[in-house]
Amino acid sequence: MVKPLTHTLVIGIGNEFRRDDGAGWAVVALLGEQSTRRPLPVDTVLARSDGEPGRLIALWENVGLAVVLDACFPPSARPGRTHRWCDDPAGVLRAAAGRHSTHGLGLAEALRLGESIGSLPGRLVLYAVEGADHSPGLGLTPEVAHAVPRLARRITVDIEERGGPPSRGHRAG
C-alpha cells in the first residue's frame, strides 16, 4: 500500500566543520530561528543531513515537497552564487557532473537511487550554493555567509507557495 504524500521537508546537507560546506546547515538553522518570529506552515520539518544517500532517501520518503540545499565547489566557483532546480532531478544529475562536493556519495547518487526504486518526494526543489573553502575549520566565507539569508528567504517562498496554515516550525535530525 502506498502511503499518501505528507508535509514539507527542508534538508540542509553539509558539514559545519568544513567551512563553506556548512552552508546547508546554516540555512536550516536560520530558518529555525526565523520560525520563532514568523512560523512556517504547520507541516514543515527542518532537517540536517551529511548527504549519505540512504539517509536522504529515508528523510524524503512519502514527503509532498522536499527542498534540499547543499554547497558545491565547481572549478571556477563564484562563491555565494546559487543555483535552483525545480522538479528536475535529471537537471541536477547533469549539473553534478561539473560540480564537486565534499561528500563521496551524496545528493546525485541519492536522486539516482531514489528514482530507480521509486522513492523520490512528490515535488523536489534543489539549491546549490557555490563555495570557496571546504578545508577543515568552522565558519563560512563572507560571500557564502552573505548568501545564507537570501537562500532562507527564497526557501520560505517555496514553502509558502505549497500552502498550509502557519504554525511553529518543527525540527528533525
Side-chain angles (χ1 to χ4, degrees), residues 106-125:
L107 181 56
E109 290 77 15
L111 290 169
R112 283 187 193 101
L113 180 58
E115 190 170 49
S116 72
I117 64 173
S119 189
L120 289 174
R123 181 166 179 239
L124 182 63
V125 178

Side-chain angles (χ1 to χ4, degrees), residues 25-117:
W25 287 20
V27 173
V28 167
L30 181 57
L31 287 167
E33 291 168 20
Q34 292 174 342
S35 72
T36 63
R37 294 182 304 281
R38 183 173 180 232
L40 296 168
V42 69
D43 62 350
T44 302
V45 176
L46 303 176
R48 297 186 326 178
S49 173
D50 61 4
E52 192 279 323
R55 287 190 282 273
L56 284 172
I57 291 168
L59 279 170
W60 69 44
E61 185 175 22
N62 299 315
V63 167
L65 169 64
V67 179
V68 180
L69 53 143
D70 195 6
C72 64
F73 299 90
S76 299
R78 287 185 25 215
R81 179 169 61 173
T82 60
H83 306 270
R84 180 180 188 272
W85 296 269
C86 185
D87 293 323
D88 181 21
V92 173
L93 296 175
R94 283 190 305 275
R99 302 198 187 285
H100 305 283
S101 172
T102 62
H103 320 293
L105 294 175
L107 181 56
E109 290 77 15
L111 290 169
R112 283 187 193 101
L113 180 58
E115 190 170 49
S116 72
I117 64 173

